[in-house]
Amino acid sequence: MTVYSPPSDLLAERCVLVTGAGDGIGRAAALAYARHGANVVLLGRTRAKLEAVFDHIAKETKTRPTIVPADLQHLGEDSASALREGIERDYGRLDGILHNASLLGPRNPVEHYPATDWHAVMQVNVNAAFLLTRALLPLLNQSQDASVILTSSGVGRRGRAYWGAYAVAKFATEGLMEVLADECAHAGRVRVNSLNPGGTRTAMRAAAYPTEDPATLPIAESHMPLYLYLMGPDSKGVTGQRFDAKAWQVVTRACPSA
């Protein structure tokens, strides 16, 4: 079976926003995008983590990354608009968004789920993605080939007990993907897909499954061919689809560059 192998200049001259870029899958994706030529806007909550990713990119590539410290729990319309203005000023374009940032929240039954936690999870996982996408769509629509990737989960496709707001938010993420993909389909410039990375060796996974041996899980870097495929031009015309990292080998059969 063929494995997708992206060219080194896959994302040359493109500008890509990655949320949750400080660690885990977001960090791996930001590095992968930069290594393939993209100028990456690194959005995350912890400046020190973003600075470490920035330094790594600056050392390895000739791209122009930018740090945007932001707590998505407090993101509003004004801050989303300010981000659009900053990207337009610094880069003059935007060709992609990876909505990677997520908040797990407590693992409680709905009956005992704290309302404050519920609202916080929905804000980070759904509302912030909506606000950012809405604010940045004018820039994306100026691109001839833009991609929006929304991070999903297995519990966002089949609900399970005790996953509470996280599962509900991921179901909403799937709905946002389908609505936005349908709205953008006519113009054909912006494609929108969801991606379920599955079990991955990250801090969030460890918090959700504290007794699990992390050595049994794939590292974030192993998923990067799929993240590059969906962000790059080889996936042009692919929209409104639900992708699973575990099924990526099947998907590569149809890839133009495979």
Side-chain angles (χ1 to χ4, degrees), residues 215-243:
T216 63
L217 300 172
I219 59 175
E221 288 75 10
S222 67
H223 301 324
M224 289 307 107
L226 175 54
Y227 281 78
L228 286 162
Y229 167 71
L230 288 176
M231 190 58 69
D234 288 338
S235 62
K236 190 170 184 176
V238 178
T239 191
Q241 303 297 310
R242 300 179 176 188
F243 285 82

PDB file of all heavy atoms in Angstrom, residues 215-243:
ATOM      1  N   ALA A 215       3.492   4.357  25.749  1.00  0.00           N
ATOM      2  CA  ALA A 215       4.361   3.714  24.761  1.00  0.00           C
ATOM      3  C   ALA A 215       3.570   2.889  23.752  1.00  0.00           C
ATOM      4  O   ALA A 215       4.085   2.547  22.681  1.00  0.00           O
ATOM      5  CB  ALA A 215       5.395   2.843  25.448  1.00  0.00           C
ATOM      6  N   THR A 216       2.311   2.595  24.068  1.00  0.00           N
ATOM      7  CA  THR A 216       1.473   1.814  23.145  1.00  0.00           C
ATOM      8  C   THR A 216       0.802   2.701  22.097  1.00  0.00           C
ATOM      9  O   THR A 216       0.131   2.187  21.200  1.00  0.00           O
ATOM     10  CB  THR A 216       0.384   1.053  23.915  1.00  0.00           C
ATOM     11  OG1 THR A 216      -0.490   2.001  24.570  1.00  0.00           O
ATOM     12  CG2 THR A 216       1.003   0.141  24.970  1.00  0.00           C
ATOM     13  N   LEU A 217       0.971   4.008  22.203  1.00  0.00           N
ATOM     14  CA  LEU A 217       0.288   4.947  21.312  1.00  0.00           C
ATOM     15  C   LEU A 217       1.250   5.540  20.294  1.00  0.00           C
ATOM     16  O   LEU A 217       2.443   5.710  20.570  1.00  0.00           O
ATOM     17  CB  LEU A 217      -0.320   6.089  22.131  1.00  0.00           C
ATOM     18  CG  LEU A 217      -1.357   5.700  23.188  1.00  0.00           C
ATOM     19  CD1 LEU A 217      -1.698   6.919  24.033  1.00  0.00           C
ATOM     20  CD2 LEU A 217      -2.611   5.139  22.533  1.00  0.00           C
ATOM     21  N   PRO A 218       0.751   5.888  19.111  1.00  0.00           N
ATOM     22  CA  PRO A 218       1.610   6.550  18.121  1.00  0.00           C
ATOM     23  C   PRO A 218       1.950   7.969  18.568  1.00  0.00           C
ATOM     24  O   PRO A 218       1.163   8.613  19.265  1.00  0.00           O
ATOM     25  CB  PRO A 218       0.751   6.554  16.857  1.00  0.00           C
ATOM     26  CG  PRO A 218      -0.662   6.529  17.355  1.00  0.00           C
ATOM     27  CD  PRO A 218      -0.627   5.681  18.597  1.00  0.00           C
ATOM     28  N   ILE A 219       3.100   8.464  18.170  1.00  0.00           N
ATOM     29  CA  ILE A 219       3.466   9.839  18.456  1.00  0.00           C
ATOM     30  C   ILE A 219       2.778  10.751  17.443  1.00  0.00           C
ATOM     31  O   ILE A 219       2.370  10.317  16.364  1.00  0.00           O
ATOM     32  CB  ILE A 219       4.985  10.039  18.422  1.00  0.00           C
ATOM     33  CG1 ILE A 219       5.560   9.674  17.049  1.00  0.00           C
ATOM     34  CG2 ILE A 219       5.655   9.228  19.521  1.00  0.00           C
ATOM     35  CD1 ILE A 219       7.045   9.966  16.908  1.00  0.00           C
ATOM     36  N   ALA A 220       2.662  12.016  17.789  1.00  0.00           N
ATOM     37  CA  ALA A 220       1.953  12.970  16.926  1.00  0.00           C
ATOM     38  C   ALA A 220       2.580  13.049  15.539  1.00  0.00           C
ATOM     39  O   ALA A 220       1.880  13.176  14.532  1.00  0.00           O
ATOM     40  CB  ALA A 220       1.945  14.346  17.582  1.00  0.00           C
ATOM     41  N   GLU A 221       3.890  12.966  15.476  1.00  0.00           N
ATOM     42  CA  GLU A 221       4.590  13.090  14.192  1.00  0.00           C
ATOM     43  C   GLU A 221       4.171  12.026  13.190  1.00  0.00           C
ATOM     44  O   GLU A 221       4.242  12.251  11.974  1.00  0.00           O
ATOM     45  CB  GLU A 221       6.105  13.043  14.422  1.00  0.00           C
ATOM     46  CG  GLU A 221       6.693  14.275  15.064  1.00  0.00           C
ATOM     47  CD  GLU A 221       6.418  14.390  16.556  1.00  0.00           C
ATOM     48  OE1 GLU A 221       5.915  13.401  17.151  1.00  0.00           O
ATOM     49  OE2 GLU A 221       6.713  15.454  17.135  1.00  0.00           O
ATOM     50  N   SER A 222       3.725  10.879  13.672  1.00  0.00           N
ATOM     51  CA  SER A 222       3.338   9.803  12.757  1.00  0.00           C
ATOM     52  C   SER A 222       2.081  10.144  11.963  1.00  0.00           C
ATOM     53  O   SER A 222       1.811   9.543  10.918  1.00  0.00           O
ATOM     54  CB  SER A 222       3.114   8.499  13.535  1.00  0.00           C
ATOM     55  OG  SER A 222       1.985   8.602  14.397  1.00  0.00           O
ATOM     56  N   HIS A 223       1.299  11.118  12.432  1.00  0.00           N
ATOM     57  CA  HIS A 223       0.079  11.529  11.734  1.00  0.00           C
ATOM     58  C   HIS A 223       0.317  12.629  10.696  1.00  0.00           C
ATOM     59  O   HIS A 223      -0.603  12.984   9.949  1.00  0.00           O
ATOM     60  CB  HIS A 223      -0.959  12.051  12.730  1.00  0.00           C
ATOM     61  CG  HIS A 223      -1.374  11.082  13.775  1.00  0.00           C
ATOM     62  ND1 HIS A 223      -1.513   9.737  13.540  1.00  0.00           N
ATOM     63  CD2 HIS A 223      -1.689  11.275  15.095  1.00  0.00           C
ATOM     64  CE1 HIS A 223      -1.900   9.130  14.665  1.00  0.00           C
ATOM     65  NE2 HIS A 223      -2.011  10.049  15.612  1.00  0.00           N
ATOM     66  N   MET A 224       1.513  13.163  10.642  1.00  0.00           N
ATOM     67  CA  MET A 224       1.735  14.369   9.855  1.00  0.00           C
ATOM     68  C   MET A 224       1.511  14.216   8.341  1.00  0.00           C
ATOM     69  O   MET A 224       1.106  15.189   7.688  1.00  0.00           O
ATOM     70  CB  MET A 224       3.115  14.953  10.140  1.00  0.00           C
ATOM     71  CG  MET A 224       3.216  15.579  11.533  1.00  0.00           C
ATOM     72  SD  MET A 224       1.908  16.809  11.857  1.00  0.00           S
ATOM     73  CE  MET A 224       0.838  15.911  13.006  1.00  0.00           C
ATOM     74  N   PRO A 225       1.739  13.058   7.721  1.00  0.00           N
ATOM     75  CA  PRO A 225       1.391  12.952   6.306  1.00  0.00           C
ATOM     76  C   PRO A 225      -0.063  13.315   6.019  1.00  0.00           C
ATOM     77  O   PRO A 225      -0.362  13.983   5.025  1.00  0.00           O
ATOM     78  CB  PRO A 225       1.695  11.486   5.979  1.00  0.00           C
ATOM     79  CG  PRO A 225       2.811  11.140   6.903  1.00  0.00           C
ATOM     80  CD  PRO A 225       2.470  11.857   8.191  1.00  0.00           C
ATOM     81  N   LEU A 226      -0.977  12.908   6.894  1.00  0.00           N
ATOM     82  CA  LEU A 226      -2.391  13.234   6.705  1.00  0.00           C
ATOM     83  C   LEU A 226      -2.634  14.733   6.903  1.00  0.00           C
ATOM     84  O   LEU A 226      -3.370  15.367   6.136  1.00  0.00           O
ATOM     85  CB  LEU A 226      -3.256  12.429   7.674  1.00  0.00           C
ATOM     86  CG  LEU A 226      -4.758  12.732   7.691  1.00  0.00           C
ATOM     87  CD1 LEU A 226      -5.355  12.634   6.301  1.00  0.00           C
ATOM     88  CD2 LEU A 226      -5.483  11.798   8.659  1.00  0.00           C
ATOM     89  N   TYR A 227      -2.010  15.309   7.915  1.00  0.00           N
ATOM     90  CA  TYR A 227      -2.168  16.741   8.155  1.00  0.00           C
ATOM     91  C   TYR A 227      -1.609  17.555   6.990  1.00  0.00           C
ATOM     92  O   TYR A 227      -2.172  18.593   6.619  1.00  0.00           O
ATOM     93  CB  TYR A 227      -1.477  17.135   9.462  1.00  0.00           C
ATOM     94  CG  TYR A 227      -2.277  16.799  10.693  1.00  0.00           C
ATOM     95  CD1 TYR A 227      -2.330  15.500  11.195  1.00  0.00           C
ATOM     96  CD2 TYR A 227      -3.009  17.772  11.362  1.00  0.00           C
ATOM     97  CE1 TYR A 227      -3.077  15.183  12.328  1.00  0.00           C
ATOM     98  CE2 TYR A 227      -3.758  17.480  12.495  1.00  0.00           C
ATOM     99  CZ  TYR A 227      -3.793  16.170  12.966  1.00  0.00           C
ATOM    100  OH  TYR A 227      -4.549  15.868  14.075  1.00  0.00           O
ATOM    101  N   LEU A 228      -0.520  17.098   6.410  1.00  0.00           N
ATOM    102  CA  LEU A 228       0.065  17.797   5.261  1.00  0.00           C
ATOM    103  C   LEU A 228      -0.807  17.619   4.019  1.00  0.00           C
ATOM    104  O   LEU A 228      -1.015  18.566   3.257  1.00  0.00           O
ATOM    105  CB  LEU A 228       1.471  17.268   5.006  1.00  0.00           C
ATOM    106  CG  LEU A 228       2.519  17.739   6.015  1.00  0.00           C
ATOM    107  CD1 LEU A 228       3.754  16.843   5.956  1.00  0.00           C
ATOM    108  CD2 LEU A 228       2.912  19.196   5.747  1.00  0.00           C
ATOM    109  N   TYR A 229      -1.312  16.417   3.820  1.00  0.00           N
ATOM    110  CA  TYR A 229      -2.176  16.169   2.669  1.00  0.00           C
ATOM    111  C   TYR A 229      -3.403  17.078   2.687  1.00  0.00           C
ATOM    112  O   TYR A 229      -3.744  17.715   1.694  1.00  0.00           O
ATOM    113  CB  TYR A 229      -2.614  14.703   2.649  1.00  0.00           C
ATOM    114  CG  TYR A 229      -3.742  14.420   1.682  1.00  0.00           C
ATOM    115  CD1 TYR A 229      -3.533  14.441   0.307  1.00  0.00           C
ATOM    116  CD2 TYR A 229      -5.023  14.138   2.150  1.00  0.00           C
ATOM    117  CE1 TYR A 229      -4.574  14.200  -0.578  1.00  0.00           C
ATOM    118  CE2 TYR A 229      -6.067  13.889   1.275  1.00  0.00           C
ATOM    119  CZ  TYR A 229      -5.837  13.923  -0.090  1.00  0.00           C
ATOM    120  OH  TYR A 229      -6.870  13.688  -0.958  1.00  0.00           O
ATOM    121  N   LEU A 230      -4.060  17.162   3.838  1.00  0.00           N
ATOM    122  CA  LEU A 230      -5.282  17.965   3.929  1.00  0.00           C
ATOM    123  C   LEU A 230      -4.996  19.457   3.836  1.00  0.00           C
ATOM    124  O   LEU A 230      -5.831  20.221   3.352  1.00  0.00           O
ATOM    125  CB  LEU A 230      -6.016  17.661   5.238  1.00  0.00           C
ATOM    126  CG  LEU A 230      -6.699  16.298   5.307  1.00  0.00           C
ATOM    127  CD1 LEU A 230      -7.312  16.074   6.675  1.00  0.00           C
ATOM    128  CD2 LEU A 230      -7.764  16.160   4.219  1.00  0.00           C
ATOM    129  N   MET A 231      -3.823  19.894   4.276  1.00  0.00           N
ATOM    130  CA  MET A 231      -3.505  21.323   4.210  1.00  0.00           C
ATOM    131  C   MET A 231      -2.947  21.715   2.848  1.00  0.00           C
ATOM    132  O   MET A 231      -3.059  22.874   2.433  1.00  0.00           O
ATOM    133  CB  MET A 231      -2.488  21.691   5.305  1.00  0.00           C
ATOM    134  CG  MET A 231      -2.273  23.183   5.480  1.00  0.00           C
ATOM    135  SD  MET A 231      -3.789  24.108   5.864  1.00  0.00           S
ATOM    136  CE  MET A 231      -4.133  23.532   7.532  1.00  0.00           C
ATOM    137  N   GLY A 232      -2.378  20.789   2.118  1.00  0.00           N
ATOM    138  CA  GLY A 232      -1.714  21.101   0.862  1.00  0.00           C
ATOM    139  C   GLY A 232      -2.587  20.942  -0.367  1.00  0.00           C
ATOM    140  O   GLY A 232      -3.736  20.478  -0.297  1.00  0.00           O
ATOM    141  N   PRO A 233      -2.053  21.303  -1.525  1.00  0.00           N
ATOM    142  CA  PRO A 233      -2.826  21.314  -2.770  1.00  0.00           C
ATOM    143  C   PRO A 233      -3.223  19.933  -3.274  1.00  0.00           C
ATOM    144  O   PRO A 233      -4.120  19.834  -4.114  1.00  0.00           O
ATOM    145  CB  PRO A 233      -1.884  22.012  -3.762  1.00  0.00           C
ATOM    146  CG  PRO A 233      -0.514  21.771  -3.220  1.00  0.00           C
ATOM    147  CD  PRO A 233      -0.666  21.809  -1.734  1.00  0.00           C
ATOM    148  N   ASP A 234      -2.604  18.878  -2.785  1.00  0.00           N
ATOM    149  CA  ASP A 234      -2.980  17.541  -3.252  1.00  0.00           C
ATOM    150  C   ASP A 234      -4.393  17.149  -2.835  1.00  0.00           C
ATOM    151  O   ASP A 234      -4.976  16.238  -3.410  1.00  0.00           O
ATOM    152  CB  ASP A 234      -1.985  16.492  -2.742  1.00  0.00           C
ATOM    153  CG  ASP A 234      -0.645  16.590  -3.454  1.00  0.00           C
ATOM    154  OD1 ASP A 234      -0.603  17.131  -4.573  1.00  0.00           O
ATOM    155  OD2 ASP A 234       0.365  16.126  -2.896  1.00  0.00           O
ATOM    156  N   SER A 235      -4.943  17.843  -1.840  1.00  0.00           N
ATOM    157  CA  SER A 235      -6.319  17.547  -1.406  1.00  0.00           C
ATOM    158  C   SER A 235      -7.326  18.527  -1.988  1.00  0.00           C
ATOM    159  O   SER A 235      -8.479  18.561  -1.557  1.00  0.00           O
ATOM    160  CB  SER A 235      -6.413  17.565   0.125  1.00  0.00           C
ATOM    161  OG  SER A 235      -6.088  18.848   0.633  1.00  0.00           O
ATOM    162  N   LYS A 236      -6.914  19.307  -2.970  1.00  0.00           N
ATOM    163  CA  LYS A 236      -7.839  20.263  -3.580  1.00  0.00           C
ATOM    164  C   LYS A 236      -9.065  19.541  -4.114  1.00  0.00           C
ATOM    165  O   LYS A 236      -8.962  18.522  -4.796  1.00  0.00           O
ATOM    166  CB  LYS A 236      -7.146  21.018  -4.710  1.00  0.00           C
ATOM    167  CG  LYS A 236      -7.955  22.192  -5.241  1.00  0.00           C
ATOM    168  CD  LYS A 236      -7.142  23.051  -6.189  1.00  0.00           C
ATOM    169  CE  LYS A 236      -7.938  24.277  -6.620  1.00  0.00           C
ATOM    170  NZ  LYS A 236      -7.136  25.177  -7.479  1.00  0.00           N
ATOM    171  N   GLY A 237     -10.235  20.050  -3.793  1.00  0.00           N
ATOM    172  CA  GLY A 237     -11.486  19.413  -4.215  1.00  0.00           C
ATOM    173  C   GLY A 237     -12.026  18.427  -3.202  1.00  0.00           C
ATOM    174  O   GLY A 237     -13.173  17.983  -3.316  1.00  0.00           O
ATOM    175  N   VAL A 238     -11.235  18.069  -2.201  1.00  0.00           N
ATOM    176  CA  VAL A 238     -11.688  17.165  -1.138  1.00  0.00           C
ATOM    177  C   VAL A 238     -12.264  18.010  -0.014  1.00  0.00           C
ATOM    178  O   VAL A 238     -11.538  18.742   0.664  1.00  0.00           O
ATOM    179  CB  VAL A 238     -10.520  16.305  -0.606  1.00  0.00           C
ATOM    180  CG1 VAL A 238     -11.002  15.412   0.539  1.00  0.00           C
ATOM    181  CG2 VAL A 238      -9.915  15.473  -1.717  1.00  0.00           C
ATOM    182  N   THR A 239     -13.570  17.948   0.181  1.00  0.00           N
ATOM    183  CA  THR A 239     -14.204  18.789   1.192  1.00  0.00           C
ATOM    184  C   THR A 239     -15.438  18.106   1.770  1.00  0.00           C
ATOM    185  O   THR A 239     -16.031  17.231   1.135  1.00  0.00           O
ATOM    186  CB  THR A 239     -14.580  20.167   0.593  1.00  0.00           C
ATOM    187  OG1 THR A 239     -14.954  21.063   1.641  1.00  0.00           O
ATOM    188  CG2 THR A 239     -15.709  20.056  -0.418  1.00  0.00           C
ATOM    189  N   GLY A 240     -15.767  18.503   3.003  1.00  0.00           N
ATOM    190  CA  GLY A 240     -16.923  17.915   3.674  1.00  0.00           C
ATOM    191  C   GLY A 240     -16.716  16.472   4.088  1.00  0.00           C
ATOM    192  O   GLY A 240     -17.687  15.753   4.312  1.00  0.00           O
ATOM    193  N   GLN A 241     -15.461  16.071   4.267  1.00  0.00           N
ATOM    194  CA  GLN A 241     -15.149  14.679   4.575  1.00  0.00           C
ATOM    195  C   GLN A 241     -14.663  14.518   6.014  1.00  0.00           C
ATOM    196  O   GLN A 241     -14.050  15.418   6.587  1.00  0.00           O
ATOM    197  CB  GLN A 241     -14.068  14.156   3.626  1.00  0.00           C
ATOM    198  CG  GLN A 241     -14.434  14.258   2.152  1.00  0.00           C
ATOM    199  CD  GLN A 241     -15.645  13.412   1.808  1.00  0.00           C
ATOM    200  OE1 GLN A 241     -15.703  12.233   2.153  1.00  0.00           O
ATOM    201  NE2 GLN A 241     -16.601  14.003   1.127  1.00  0.00           N
ATOM    202  N   ARG A 242     -14.908  13.338   6.557  1.00  0.00           N
ATOM    203  CA  ARG A 242     -14.439  12.991   7.902  1.00  0.00           C
ATOM    204  C   ARG A 242     -13.243  12.046   7.758  1.00  0.00           C
ATOM    205  O   ARG A 242     -13.382  10.942   7.228  1.00  0.00           O
ATOM    206  CB  ARG A 242     -15.543  12.307   8.694  1.00  0.00           C
ATOM    207  CG  ARG A 242     -16.784  13.151   8.888  1.00  0.00           C
ATOM    208  CD  ARG A 242     -17.833  12.383   9.672  1.00  0.00           C
ATOM    209  NE  ARG A 242     -19.006  13.207   9.948  1.00  0.00           N
ATOM    210  CZ  ARG A 242     -20.005  12.839  10.734  1.00  0.00           C
ATOM    211  NH1 ARG A 242     -19.977  11.646  11.310  1.00  0.00           N
ATOM    212  NH2 ARG A 242     -21.030  13.636  10.938  1.00  0.00           N
ATOM    213  N   PHE A 243     -12.103  12.482   8.238  1.00  0.00           N
ATOM    214  CA  PHE A 243     -10.893  11.681   8.132  1.00  0.00           C
ATOM    215  C   PHE A 243     -10.516  11.102   9.493  1.00  0.00           C
ATOM    216  O   PHE A 243     -10.704  11.740  10.529  1.00  0.00           O
ATOM    217  CB  PHE A 243      -9.727  12.527   7.612  1.00  0.00           C
ATOM    218  CG  PHE A 243      -9.810  12.820   6.140  1.00  0.00           C
ATOM    219  CD1 PHE A 243     -10.597  13.862   5.668  1.00  0.00           C
ATOM    220  CD2 PHE A 243      -9.108  12.051   5.225  1.00  0.00           C
ATOM    221  CE1 PHE A 243     -10.678  14.136   4.315  1.00  0.00           C
ATOM    222  CE2 PHE A 243      -9.180  12.317   3.864  1.00  0.00           C
ATOM    223  CZ  PHE A 243      -9.967  13.365   3.409  1.00  0.00           C
TER     224      PHE A 243
END
